[in-house]
Amino acid sequence: MSEHRNPYIQELVDDGKKDYLYHLGLDSGMDLPAMFGDVKFVCMGGSAKRAESFAKRLAADLDLGIDPESLKPIGKTERGSLFKVGPILSLSHGMGMPSMSIFLHEVTKMLEHAGATDYRYIRIGTSGGVFRPDDEKAGTVIVAEQAINEELQPIHKKVKLGKVHYYETWFDEEMAAEVLSVRGDIRAQIGKTMGANDFYEGQGRLDGALDPEYTEEDKLEYLNKAYDVGVRNIEMEAPELAAFCNRAGIPAALVCATLLNRLEGDQVTSTPEQLAEFSENAQTLVVRYLRKKLNLSVDLEADAI
Ligand code: R2B
Ligand code: URA
């Protein structure tokens, strides 16, 4: 079996040439097997700061004997930050699908060069909830079963050489169920996650800089349509992540905190403390899942906020 999913990369490696992972600041001439051969989970989120704080939290919570303060980013940090905590990577991918796609390609090639096997990807993100009254409220964590694009279709469109290609957007059903199973006292549910190409008009907001050329009524009609096809939250990466992992055959989960209810408004008005709590709940769910997968005990009441 070839080591690389892409035959062109296989050829490059077979020809003894280096593969430059430009945005990570790493290359295949480094001892990637020693650095990353044991990786089993790649946890990722948009912000470099969160990649670091999550790595520190993993070091503190996973009984791996790693001092959180000893953690340093690996590679370069201009575009994103990468940390390793035992068999887990904590990586930032920036905002939006183009940025995430770059990191998905490079981290996947990195793991291939390293000879890592049976690894899984988990995005821990933030999002806007789409909740009807008495349904759920801001703070609820959504574990995605499928990604929906901004045209409310369960597909990801990718333009290659000027032609549109369509890819499936399912997430790994077993992983989603396993993440949800450790929710304990954390408000969490399975739902579909819409990934838009923009935070403002692409998510039907009325509070961008430009006249949106649609009304509050149009917005609510759209968000209600989204709800009716099963969307429970909106962010900016879901279809790219799902489609990439489906094509690569990598099991993946998407676990997002909801910062607000989009059926109630557009602005993110919670305090920094509340926002931190919401994000931490999504992280806690993933830490519990990782503890379970690493055969460590899981306390379903610990750390929930
Ligand atoms: C969620 O939050 C970011 C925008 O604020 C974006 O990366 C996303 O998907
Ligand atoms: N991130 C998004 O993309 N949308 C929101 O509404 C909140 C966070």
Side-chain angles (χ1 to χ4, degrees):
M1 204 188 82
S2 83
E3 295 158 44
H4 295 277
R5 291 169 173 88
N6 178 358
Y8 291 94
I9 294 295
Q10 189 64 51
E11 200 179 309
L12 186 128
V13 169
D14 292 345
D15 287 349
K17 294 185 182 141
K18 266 192 208 171
D19 183 21
Y20 291 91
L21 307 171
Y22 166 60
H23 302 84
L24 293 178
L26 302 170
D27 67 65
S28 62
M30 298 171 171
D31 192 358
L32 298 180
M35 294 162 78
F36 301 111
D38 63 341
V39 168
K40 296 294 174 201
F41 300 94
V42 180
C43 296
M44 53 190 118
S47 120
K49 227 174 120 186
R50 248 187 287 138
E52 176 165 4
S53 60
F54 187 64
K56 289 189 169 157
R57 180 161 179 197
L58 288 175
D61 288 3
L62 288 185
D63 315 336
L64 294 168
I66 298 169
D67 173 9
E69 294 315 310
S70 71
L71 292 172
K72 297 275 174 292
I74 304 169
K76 70 181 188 189
T77 52
E78 281 104 305
R79 303 291 188 179
S81 288
L82 172 68
F83 294 85
K84 185 170 183 295
V85 185
I88 305 164
L89 295 181
S90 179
L91 165 76
S92 66
H93 55 62
M95 284 192 284
M97 297 191 235
S99 181
M100 158 169 263
S101 168
I102 291 170
F103 284 95
L104 286 173
H105 279 281
E106 292 186 12
V107 86
T108 304
K109 289 197 293 171
M110 184 190 88
L111 293 176
E112 290 176 352
H113 290 304
T117 54
D118 301 324
Y119 41 86
R120 293 155 181 265
Y121 290 178
I122 307 172
R123 171 171 136 73
I124 311 164
T126 56
S127 63
V130 185
F131 303 134
R132 286 188 176 149
D134 308 322
D135 201 7
E136 282 294 350
K137 55 180 192 223
T140 296
V141 179
I142 303 296
V143 182
E145 58 180 343
Q146 191 180 31
I148 300 289
N149 67 16
E150 50 200 350
E151 294 171 276
L152 303 183
Q153 296 164 333
I155 46 168
H156 184 47
K157 285 187 197 172
K158 192 102 193 159
V159 179
K160 295 193 272 188
L161 307 181
K163 291 205 181 92
V164 183
H165 297 256
Y166 298 90
Y167 294 103
E168 290 206 359
T169 55
W170 289 106
F171 285 101
D172 189 87
E173 200 179 339
E174 208 179 300
M175 254 178 108
E178 216 169 345
V179 170
L180 193 75
S181 76
V182 290
R183 67 190 176 282
D185 48 359
I186 294 175
R187 280 186 286 123
Q189 63 165 253
I190 299 271
K192 296 186 199 279
T193 298
M194 183 171 117
N197 281 308
D198 172 37
F199 184 82
Y200 288 99
E201 293 172 349
Q203 298 187 21
R205 281 186 155 84
L206 292 162
D207 62 346
L210 303 174
D211 177 348
E213 300 163 343
Y214 50 77
T215 64
E216 169 81 14
E217 218 175 37
D218 297 334
K219 172 186 107 174
L220 289 176
E221 188 186 323
Y222 175 69
L223 292 178
N224 275 300
K225 246 195 222 162
Y227 185 97
D228 289 337
V229 300
V231 170
R232 292 296 173 272
N233 63 335
I234 306 174
E235 43 83 276
M236 295 177 59
E237 291 85 11
E240 182 68 45
L241 174 66
F244 182 97
C245 291
N246 279 323
R247 282 176 72 192
I250 299 170
L254 172 60
V255 182
C256 284
T258 56
L259 306 183
L260 73 162
N261 181 0
R262 289 299 318 289
L263 285 172
E264 286 171 1
D266 294 341
Q267 300 249 330
V268 182
T269 56
S270 298
T271 63
E273 292 74 25
Q274 283 171 315
L275 295 174
E277 281 179 22
F278 295 159
S279 289
E280 270 170 43
N281 278 343
Q283 288 187 0
T284 301
L285 205 55
V286 174
V287 170
R288 289 179 186 169
Y289 166 81
L290 292 170
R291 282 189 68 91
K292 186 165 179 238
K293 299 308 281 181
L294 298 174
N295 296 318
L296 300 168
S297 63
V298 180
D299 181 350
L300 295 184
E301 280 173 20
D303 304 325
I305 295 166

